Protein backbone atom coordinates (compact mmCIF):
# COMPACT_ATOMS: atom_id res chain seq x y z
CA UNK A 1 0.00 0.00 0.00
CA UNK A 2 2.87 2.32 0.86
CA UNK A 3 4.59 1.56 -2.46
CA UNK A 4 1.42 2.36 -4.36
CA UNK A 5 1.15 5.70 -2.55
CA UNK A 6 4.79 6.55 -3.40
CA UNK A 7 4.24 5.68 -7.07
CA UNK A 8 1.10 7.84 -7.14
CA UNK A 9 2.97 10.78 -5.57
CA UNK A 10 5.83 10.39 -8.08
CA UNK A 11 3.38 10.41 -10.98
CA UNK A 12 1.83 13.65 -9.64
CA UNK A 13 5.27 15.29 -9.45
CA UNK A 14 6.09 14.20 -13.02
CA UNK A 15 2.74 15.58 -14.19
CA UNK A 16 3.50 18.94 -12.57
CA UNK A 17 6.94 19.10 -14.24
CA UNK A 18 5.58 18.45 -17.74
CA UNK A 19 5.57 21.47 -20.04
CA UNK A 20 2.65 22.38 -22.23
CA UNK A 21 2.70 24.46 -25.42
CA UNK A 22 1.89 27.68 -23.56
CA UNK A 23 4.88 27.16 -21.25
CA UNK A 24 7.18 26.67 -24.22
CA UNK A 25 5.89 29.81 -25.99
CA UNK A 26 6.20 31.92 -22.84
CA UNK A 27 9.76 30.70 -22.28
CA UNK A 28 10.66 31.65 -25.84
CA UNK A 29 9.13 35.09 -25.41
CA UNK A 30 10.98 35.58 -22.12
CA UNK A 31 14.31 34.73 -23.74
CA UNK A 32 13.57 37.06 -26.67
CA UNK A 33 12.42 39.80 -24.26
CA UNK A 34 8.93 39.76 -25.78
CA UNK A 35 6.02 40.83 -23.60
CA UNK A 36 3.38 39.22 -25.79
CA UNK A 37 2.87 37.41 -29.08
CA UNK A 38 3.53 39.42 -32.22
CA UNK A 39 1.40 39.32 -35.34
CA UNK A 40 1.76 40.76 -38.83
CA UNK A 41 -1.14 42.24 -40.77
CA UNK A 42 -1.05 43.39 -44.40
CA UNK A 43 -3.69 45.91 -45.51
CA UNK A 44 -4.38 47.61 -48.81
CA UNK A 45 -6.40 50.83 -48.90
CA UNK A 46 -7.78 53.51 -51.19
CA UNK A 47 -6.77 57.03 -50.14
CA UNK A 48 -9.24 59.87 -49.69
CA UNK A 49 -6.56 62.54 -50.27
CA UNK A 50 -2.84 62.93 -50.91
CA UNK A 51 -1.79 64.75 -47.74
CA UNK A 52 0.90 62.16 -47.02
CA UNK A 53 2.51 63.85 -43.96
CA UNK A 54 -0.94 64.09 -42.33
CA UNK A 55 -1.62 60.42 -42.99
CA UNK A 56 1.78 59.34 -41.69
CA UNK A 57 1.47 61.54 -38.61
CA UNK A 58 -1.97 60.14 -37.86
CA UNK A 59 -0.72 56.55 -37.68
CA UNK A 60 2.39 57.48 -35.70
CA UNK A 61 0.17 59.12 -33.07
CA UNK A 62 -2.38 56.30 -33.17
CA UNK A 63 0.19 53.58 -32.50
CA UNK A 64 1.92 55.63 -29.82
CA UNK A 65 -1.36 56.32 -27.98
CA UNK A 66 -2.46 52.67 -28.13
CA UNK A 67 0.91 51.54 -26.79
CA UNK A 68 0.62 53.91 -23.84
CA UNK A 69 -2.96 52.88 -23.10
CA UNK A 70 -2.42 49.11 -23.27
CA UNK A 71 1.25 48.98 -22.17
CA UNK A 72 1.94 46.66 -25.11
CA UNK A 73 5.00 46.41 -27.32
CA UNK A 74 5.67 49.05 -29.92
CA UNK A 75 4.46 48.73 -33.48
CA UNK A 76 6.86 48.29 -36.37
CA UNK A 77 6.17 48.18 -40.07
CA UNK A 78 5.98 50.14 -43.28
CA UNK A 79 3.26 52.26 -44.90
CA UNK A 80 3.72 52.61 -48.65
CA UNK A 81 1.74 55.54 -50.06
CA UNK A 82 0.90 55.73 -53.77
CA UNK A 83 -1.04 58.59 -55.40
CA UNK A 84 -4.37 56.79 -54.94
CA UNK A 85 -3.65 53.72 -52.82
CA UNK A 86 -1.70 52.52 -49.81
CA UNK A 87 -0.08 49.26 -48.68
CA UNK A 88 0.43 48.87 -44.95
CA UNK A 89 2.52 46.17 -43.25
CA UNK A 90 2.10 46.30 -39.47
CA UNK A 91 3.86 44.13 -36.87
CA UNK A 92 2.35 44.46 -33.40
CA UNK A 93 0.57 42.70 -30.51
CA UNK A 94 -3.06 41.71 -30.90
CA UNK A 95 -4.39 44.67 -28.88
CA UNK A 96 -2.79 47.17 -31.23
CA UNK A 97 -3.88 45.35 -34.39
CA UNK A 98 -7.50 45.27 -33.24
CA UNK A 99 -7.48 49.02 -32.56
CA UNK A 100 -5.82 49.59 -35.94
CA UNK A 101 -8.66 47.67 -37.60
CA UNK A 102 -11.20 49.77 -35.68
CA UNK A 103 -9.54 52.92 -37.00
CA UNK A 104 -9.77 51.63 -40.58
CA UNK A 105 -13.43 50.76 -40.10
CA UNK A 106 -14.11 54.23 -38.72
CA UNK A 107 -12.39 55.78 -41.75
CA UNK A 108 -14.60 53.80 -44.13
CA UNK A 109 -17.77 54.96 -42.35
CA UNK A 110 -17.04 58.70 -42.37
CA UNK A 111 -16.25 61.14 -45.16
CA UNK A 112 -13.37 62.94 -43.45
CA UNK A 113 -11.26 59.80 -42.82
CA UNK A 114 -7.90 59.02 -44.38
CA UNK A 115 -8.76 55.68 -46.04
CA UNK A 116 -11.87 55.41 -48.17
CA UNK A 117 -11.88 51.62 -48.14
CA UNK A 118 -9.50 48.94 -46.89
CA UNK A 119 -9.05 45.18 -47.17
CA UNK A 120 -6.91 42.78 -45.14
CA UNK A 121 -4.78 40.51 -47.32
CA UNK A 122 -3.41 38.35 -44.50
CA UNK A 123 -2.82 38.19 -40.75
CA UNK A 124 0.17 36.08 -39.67
CA UNK A 125 -0.03 35.07 -36.02
CA UNK A 126 2.90 34.53 -33.62
CA UNK A 127 5.62 35.63 -36.04
CA UNK A 128 9.13 34.56 -34.86
CA UNK A 129 10.75 37.93 -35.53
CA UNK A 130 10.11 41.36 -37.01
CA UNK A 131 11.02 42.45 -40.52
CA UNK A 132 11.19 46.13 -39.55
CA UNK A 133 13.04 47.78 -36.67
CA UNK A 134 10.58 50.71 -36.44
CA UNK A 135 7.46 52.08 -38.09
CA UNK A 136 7.78 54.49 -40.98
CA UNK A 137 6.06 55.58 -44.17
CA UNK A 138 7.22 56.49 -47.65
CA UNK A 139 5.57 58.24 -50.59
CA UNK A 140 5.92 56.95 -54.15
CA UNK A 141 4.79 59.50 -56.72
CA UNK A 142 4.33 56.96 -59.51
CA UNK A 143 1.37 57.16 -61.88
CA UNK A 144 -0.09 53.82 -62.91
CA UNK A 145 -0.73 53.44 -66.63
CA UNK A 146 -2.85 50.26 -66.69
CA UNK A 147 -5.16 50.97 -63.76
CA UNK A 148 -8.45 50.54 -65.67
CA UNK A 149 -7.28 47.97 -68.21
CA UNK A 150 -5.81 45.44 -65.77
CA UNK A 151 -6.80 41.86 -66.54
CA UNK A 152 -6.43 39.56 -63.54
CA UNK A 153 -6.76 36.27 -65.37
CA UNK A 154 -8.45 33.22 -63.89
CA UNK A 155 -6.54 32.89 -60.58
CA UNK A 156 -7.32 35.88 -58.38
CA UNK A 157 -5.70 34.25 -55.34
CA UNK A 158 -2.35 34.32 -57.14
CA UNK A 159 -2.54 38.14 -57.22
CA UNK A 160 -2.78 38.19 -53.42
CA UNK A 161 0.06 35.68 -53.09
CA UNK A 162 2.32 37.66 -55.43
CA UNK A 163 1.75 40.88 -53.45
CA UNK A 164 2.55 39.14 -50.17
CA UNK A 165 5.73 37.63 -51.61
CA UNK A 166 6.83 41.07 -52.81
CA UNK A 167 6.24 42.57 -49.37
CA UNK A 168 8.13 39.78 -47.60
CA UNK A 169 11.06 40.27 -49.96
CA UNK A 170 10.88 44.03 -49.36
CA UNK A 171 10.97 43.57 -45.59
CA UNK A 172 13.89 41.15 -45.86
CA UNK A 173 15.79 43.63 -48.03
CA UNK A 174 15.18 46.51 -45.59
CA UNK A 175 16.24 44.41 -42.59
CA UNK A 176 19.59 43.61 -44.21
CA UNK A 177 20.45 47.27 -44.75
CA UNK A 178 22.52 49.27 -42.20
CA UNK A 179 20.32 50.98 -39.61
CA UNK A 180 22.28 54.22 -39.99
CA UNK A 181 21.09 54.58 -43.60
CA UNK A 182 17.46 53.50 -43.17
CA UNK A 183 16.06 56.83 -44.36
CA UNK A 184 18.03 56.62 -47.60
CA UNK A 185 17.00 52.99 -48.03
CA UNK A 186 13.29 53.88 -48.04
CA UNK A 187 13.77 56.86 -50.33
CA UNK A 188 15.59 54.77 -52.96
CA UNK A 189 13.34 51.71 -52.99
CA UNK A 190 11.95 52.44 -56.44
CA UNK A 191 15.47 52.84 -57.89
CA UNK A 192 17.05 49.88 -56.07
CA UNK A 193 14.33 47.21 -55.77
CA UNK A 194 11.30 48.11 -57.93
CA UNK A 195 10.46 44.40 -58.24
CA UNK A 196 9.65 44.30 -54.51
CA UNK A 197 7.04 47.10 -54.73
CA UNK A 198 3.46 45.98 -55.42
CA UNK A 199 1.91 47.50 -58.53
CA UNK A 200 -1.07 49.80 -58.23
CA UNK A 201 -3.26 48.08 -60.82
CA UNK A 202 -3.61 44.77 -58.91
CA UNK A 203 -4.22 46.71 -55.68
CA UNK A 204 -6.98 48.72 -57.36
CA UNK A 205 -8.52 45.52 -58.72
CA UNK A 206 -8.60 43.81 -55.31
CA UNK A 207 -10.17 46.85 -53.64
CA UNK A 208 -12.94 47.05 -56.24
CA UNK A 209 -13.67 43.32 -56.50
CA UNK A 210 -15.31 40.87 -54.09
CA UNK A 211 -12.60 38.31 -53.33
CA UNK A 212 -13.34 35.37 -51.03
CA UNK A 213 -9.79 34.95 -49.74
CA UNK A 214 -9.51 38.47 -48.26
CA UNK A 215 -11.64 40.28 -45.68
CA UNK A 216 -12.51 43.82 -44.69
CA UNK A 217 -11.68 45.30 -41.26
CA UNK A 218 -15.40 45.05 -40.45
CA UNK A 219 -15.33 41.30 -41.16
CA UNK A 220 -12.29 40.90 -38.93
CA UNK A 221 -13.77 42.88 -36.04
CA UNK A 222 -16.97 40.83 -35.99
CA UNK A 223 -14.94 38.09 -34.31
CA UNK A 224 -14.40 40.42 -31.35
CA UNK A 225 -17.61 42.45 -31.28
CA UNK A 226 -20.26 39.80 -31.86
CA UNK A 227 -20.97 36.87 -29.51
CA UNK A 228 -20.02 33.44 -30.69
CA UNK A 229 -23.23 31.74 -31.80
CA UNK A 230 -23.17 27.97 -31.37
CA UNK A 231 -25.92 25.85 -32.85
CA UNK A 232 -26.68 22.63 -31.03
CA UNK A 233 -27.82 19.49 -32.81
CA UNK A 234 -31.23 19.84 -31.19
CA UNK A 235 -31.70 23.16 -33.02
CA UNK A 236 -31.88 21.27 -36.34
CA UNK A 237 -34.55 18.76 -35.20
CA UNK A 238 -38.22 19.34 -35.91
CA UNK A 239 -40.60 18.78 -34.31
CA UNK A 240 -38.94 19.57 -31.00
CA UNK A 241 -38.10 16.48 -28.95
CA UNK A 242 -40.54 15.71 -26.13
CA UNK A 243 -40.44 13.31 -23.23
CA UNK A 244 -41.89 9.94 -24.19
CA UNK A 245 -43.29 9.13 -20.74
CA UNK A 246 -45.95 10.88 -18.67
CA UNK A 247 -45.08 13.49 -16.10
CA UNK A 248 -45.61 12.68 -12.45
Amino acid sequence: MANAFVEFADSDEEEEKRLNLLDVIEDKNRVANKKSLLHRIVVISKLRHQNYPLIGGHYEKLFHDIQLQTQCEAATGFLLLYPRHAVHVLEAPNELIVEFARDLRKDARQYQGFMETSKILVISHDIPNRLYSNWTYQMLDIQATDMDTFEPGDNVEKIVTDILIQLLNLGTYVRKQPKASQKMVYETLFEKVPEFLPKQAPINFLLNTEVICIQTPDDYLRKYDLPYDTRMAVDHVWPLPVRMFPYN
Side-chain angles (χ1 to χ4, degrees):
M1 184 69 179
N3 292 336
F5 179 77
V6 172
E7 291 178 0
F8 181 75
D10 291 341
S11 63
D12 285 347
E13 291 180 359
E14 292 178 359
E15 190 70 24
E16 291 178 358
K17 294 179 181 178
R18 289 180 58 186
L19 295 177
N20 55 37
L21 180 58
L22 178 61
D23 295 329
V24 174
I25 294 176
E26 288 181 342
D27 287 341
K28 289 173 59 179
N29 291 340
R30 197 175 297 110
V31 172
N33 197 25
K34 291 168 58 179
K35 298 179 182 179
S36 58
L37 299 181
L38 290 175
H39 314 287
R40 182 182 297 119
I41 183 172
V42 179
V43 178
I44 56 175
S45 304
K46 182 178 181 181
L47 301 177
R48 288 191 185 275
H49 56 75
Q50 296 181 349
N51 192 337
Y52 302 136
L54 187 63
I55 296 173
H58 166 74
Y59 286 111
E60 284 181 342
K61 184 178 184 304
L62 175 68
F63 299 149
H64 178 71
D65 291 346
I66 296 173
Q67 183 188 1
L68 291 180
Q69 293 171 7
T70 61
Q71 296 298 310
C72 65
E73 294 193 35
T76 59
F78 182 45
L79 173 59
L80 189 59
L81 295 170
Y82 295 97
R84 293 169 55 185
H85 302 93
V87 179
H88 203 160
V89 181
L90 180 65
E91 302 165 335
N94 185 67
E95 301 92 334
L96 200 149
I97 288 181
V98 171
E99 293 304 319
F100 169 61
R102 295 190 192 280
D103 185 76
L104 292 175
R105 182 176 65 179
K106 182 181 69 174
D107 273 4
R109 292 178 176 179
Q110 61 186 14
Y111 293 104
Q112 64 271 24
F114 298 98
M115 305 298 175
E116 182 176 335
T117 181
S118 299
K119 289 188 177 181
I120 301 173
L121 297 189
V122 71
I123 300 179
S124 303
H125 296 285
D126 190 18
I127 57 177
N129 46 53
R130 300 176 185 258
L131 291 176
Y132 300 91
S133 58
N134 58 357
W135 186 91
T136 187
Y137 68 96
Q138 181 62 43
M139 299 84 73
L140 282 182
D141 190 11
I142 306 171
Q143 297 296 332
T145 56
D146 57 346
M147 190 81 71
D148 299 324
T149 60
F150 176 75
E151 292 293 337
D154 297 330
N155 193 353
V156 179
E157 294 182 1
K158 187 176 184 303
I159 300 176
V160 179
T161 304
D162 291 342
I163 292 176
L164 295 177
I165 291 174
Q166 286 178 300
L167 294 173
L168 286 175
N169 289 333
L170 177 63
T172 304
Y173 167 80
V174 171
R175 187 176 59 178
K176 292 180 180 179
Q177 306 307 309
K179 292 185 178 180
S181 59
Q182 287 288 303
K183 188 174 185 299
M184 183 62 66
V185 170
Y186 288 111
E187 291 177 351
T188 58
L189 286 177
F190 185 69
E191 291 77 14
K192 297 291 184 61
V193 286
E195 68 276 11
F196 295 161
L197 301 176
K199 295 183 178 180
Q200 300 175 66
I203 296 173
N204 181 69
F205 170 79
L206 293 175
L207 288 171
N208 294 314
T209 306
E210 291 294 332
V211 182
I212 300 177
C213 63
I214 60 179
Q215 58 183 338
T216 64
D218 196 36
D219 296 332
Y220 172 71
L221 289 171
R222 286 197 188 100
K223 302 174 184 177
Y224 296 91
D225 298 338
L226 297 181
Y228 185 72
D229 185 16
T230 304
R231 287 183 175 272
M232 308 297 292
V234 69
D235 296 334
H236 300 277
V237 178
W238 187 262
L240 295 176
V242 295
R243 299 177 67 176
M244 302 304 294
F245 51 88
Y247 294 94
N248 292 331

